[in-house]
């Protein structure tokens, strides 16, 4: 899945001209060594570009403005090798509009006990210079990520990698365009919201089209295109006939192939990266898009059911942020469906009517054709599978009226005890942290939705940083959650986020 640009991050080292040319030459040399090591580490998902040492107000201001206008620059990593008087940074920081990271590191790992003198102290005073710089960024109220540690430590590099993905989420958010083929489901509250405010806050464009405009695209798909895609389905997936006639079964699957191709043509032609449908508003579609939507999500499109454009945009956003993660386990639209309340085995069965992304699947994927228990269309074909185990995060963006809140729950994905042969949908099963009782209580108190954007490949911290960068509240629910503290946090946030 491609982002809209070939993003890079700039590395800007701060100093001043008080220490002489020899010191400044060392500063430049050291920061180049750091940048080279970062690029060669294989840990960072994006290239780091070295920039000449920033020593004057003019140069700092010019560099930040160049970063603003460079389309490929996704953020600036700043580090003060020596002291750098922070008033010099005010104008540049004031005019800078992209993600900012403060890497609080030091070129040498260990104090050089035998040789250390005052020249060394002056040249290597990040502990001192980074505090001066951090002060002004805090005083100016600028949101930034601070990462502390030795630059070549794998843990530090991995934190930088995680932040880079958050920064890409910040940059790419304003390139997300959601197409709504149906309005919000009647009378449903949590999936609805203020689309104008969403564009102001997140940059999302959220447009509606009559569903029959995409139906025209579906109807114009040729039989040849459908047959070619059917061949791919039949090669890739196991057909689970369950007593259905194979020819009749294939006709149902072919409808989804037509929907996949027609929808994708529409989305590509009109430049949308996320889509919402509604089982009750299907116009001329023969089936609720199931398999078709699952395959589109696998290709990187966001999706939300029943007109849920907020979750569709979040799924797209989280797919962008996790794109290219090594050994990725998947990102999907999900819905809290039903509980297992057996002591010691508590958890939430996750599914949707049909639309769970196959990137989260574990093992073989089958196709089933089964009637929907809702709506008035023919039995849709869908991909069925169970999902991977391990930690993940479930995110819900809600509109509280005057503002948005992001709720993120760290969850532990598990296998259910037994197969569920009569359940014709893809599923996941997880126990929310810290446990089902507290996790669900916290989720409900925070106002979280039944729809979520779920990922195995992002951390709650990355989502929290993204929310902070967007200027919205983020409530984390994890092993540290305590209901009394959470209720106070919600109260206090209500005063802060107005
Ligand atoms: Mn739903």
């Amino acid at each position: 899945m491609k982002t809209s640009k070939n993003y890079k991050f700039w590395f800007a080292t701060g100093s001043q001209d008080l220490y002489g040319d020899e010191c400044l030459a060392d500063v430049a040399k050291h920061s180049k060594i750091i940048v080279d090591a970062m690029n060669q580490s294989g840990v960072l998902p994006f290239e780091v570009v070295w920039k000449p040492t920033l020593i004057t107000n003019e140069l700092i201001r010019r560099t930040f403005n160049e970063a603003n206008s460079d389309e490929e620059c996704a953020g600036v990593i700043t580090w003060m090798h020596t002291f750098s008087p922070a008033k010099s940074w005010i104008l540049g920081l004031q005019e800078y509009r992209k993600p900012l990271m403060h890497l609080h590191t030091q070129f040498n790992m260990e104090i050089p006990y035998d040789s250390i003198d005052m020249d060394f102290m002056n040249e290597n005073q990040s502990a001192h210079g980074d505090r001066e710089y951090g002060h002004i960024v805090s005083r100016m109220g600028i949101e930034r990520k601070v990462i502390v540690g030795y630059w070549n430590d794998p843990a530090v590099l991995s934190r930088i990698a995680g932040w880079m993905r958050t920064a890409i989420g910040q940059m790419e958010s304003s390139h997300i365009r959601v197409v709504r083929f149906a309005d919000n489901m009647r009378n449903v509250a949590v999936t609805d919201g203020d689309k104008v405010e969403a564009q102001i806050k997140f940059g999302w464009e959220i447009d509606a089209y009559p569903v029959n405009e995409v139906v025209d695209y579906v109807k114009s798909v040729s039989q040849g295109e459908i047959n070619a895609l059917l061949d791919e389905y039949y090669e890739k997936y196991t057909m689970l006939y369950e007593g259905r006639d194979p020819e009749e079964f294939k006709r149902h699957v072919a409808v989804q192939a037509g929907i996949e191709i027609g929808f994708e043509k529409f989305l590509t032609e009109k430049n949308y990266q996320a889509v919402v449908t509604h089982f009750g508003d299907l116009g001329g579609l023969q089936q609720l898009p199931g398999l078709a939507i699952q395959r589109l999500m696998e290709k990187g499109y966001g999706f939300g059911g029943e007109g849920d454009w907020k979750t569709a945009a979040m799924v797209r956003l989280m797919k962008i942020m996790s794109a290219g993660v090594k050994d990725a386990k998947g990102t999907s639209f999900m819905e809290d469906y039903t509980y297992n309340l057996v002591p010691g085995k508590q958890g939430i069965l996750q599914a949707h009517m049909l639309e769970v992304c196959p990137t989260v699947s574990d093992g073989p994927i089958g196709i089933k054709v089964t009637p929907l228990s809702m709506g008035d269309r023919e039995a849709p074909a869908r991909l069925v599978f169970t999902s991977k185990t391990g930690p993940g995060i479930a995110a819900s963006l809600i509109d509280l009226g005057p503002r948005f809140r992001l709720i993120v729950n760290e969850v532990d994905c598990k296998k259910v005890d037994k197969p569920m042969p009569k359940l014709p949908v893809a599923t996941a099963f997880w126990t929310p942290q810290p446990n089902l009782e507290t996790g669900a209580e916290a989720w409900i108190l925070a106002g979280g939705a039944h729809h979520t954007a779920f990922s195995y490949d992002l951390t709650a911290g990355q989502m929290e940083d993204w929310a902070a960068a967007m200027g919205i509240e983020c409530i984390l629910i994890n092993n540290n959650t305590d209901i009394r503290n959470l209720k106070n946090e919600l109260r206090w946030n209500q005063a802060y986020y107005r």
Side-chain angles (χ1 to χ4, degrees), residues 96-109:
Y96 181 59
R97 295 188 308 274
K98 287 184 175 177
L100 181 66
M101 198 246 275
H102 181 183
L103 178 61
H104 182 42
T105 190
Q106 177 173 283
F107 184 67
N108 55 301
M109 185 189 243

Side-chain angles (χ1 to χ4, degrees), residues 185 191 279 305-306 333-335 337 351-353 355 450-451:
M185 187 172 165
T191 51
F279 65 89
E306 296 88 54
F333 174 65
M334 284 288 185
E335 182 167 76
Y337 241 104
H352 201 253
M353 282 174 197
E355 311 92 334
H450 51 280
H451 285 170

